[in-house]
Amino acid sequence: MVTLHFEGADMILKARHYLIRQADVNTELWCVGWHPISYAAAVGGGLLTILGDIVLKDQLIIYDLDNQQIGWVNYDCTLCLTF
C-alpha cells in the first residue's frame, strides 16, 4: 500500500490503484502509474503529480464549491450509486 499525504487528509492506495502490468513483454513487469513532472512556469516552481483514472478508481470525488475544496471517499465503484 501507498499513502499520499495531502494538507488535511491522506489517501491510502492499494496496489491495484497505482501499479500497471505490462503484458507485452516476456517477463513480468509492473510499472508505477504516476510520474512527477516539473512545472517551473507555475508560481513557485517545483514538482507536480497528476493523479489519473488508475489512482482515482474506487473513489468518489467531492467538490465543495463554497469552500473551494476537493475531497474524496473510498467507494466500490462496481456498486450502483443511489442518492
Side-chain angles (χ1 to χ4, degrees):
M1 288 203 300
V2 167
T3 302
L4 302 177
H5 300 285
F6 297 94
E7 187 175 319
D10 292 338
M11 181 182 283
I12 299 170
L13 304 174
K14 296 177 182 171
R16 71 174 187 255
H17 295 131
Y18 62 90
L19 292 177
I20 302 169
R21 184 171 185 206
Q22 298 298 312
D24 60 340
V25 294
N26 293 331
T27 60
E28 190 165 314
L29 177 67
W30 293 82
C31 297
V32 176
W34 67 77
H35 182 74
I37 58 174
S38 175
Y39 68 105
V43 176
L47 293 175
L48 170 71
T49 300
I50 298 173
L51 303 178
D53 61 333
I54 190 171
V55 172
L56 298 176
K57 179 173 52 178
D58 293 329
Q59 306 285 331
L60 289 180
I61 306 303
I62 302 162
Y63 299 93
D64 181 349
L65 300 179
D66 292 335
N67 294 307
Q68 297 185 359
Q69 295 180 340
I70 297 175
W72 63 87
V73 63
N74 294 330
Y75 186 78
D76 181 353
C77 289
T78 63
L79 303 174
C80 293
L81 288 175
T82 57
F83 295 98

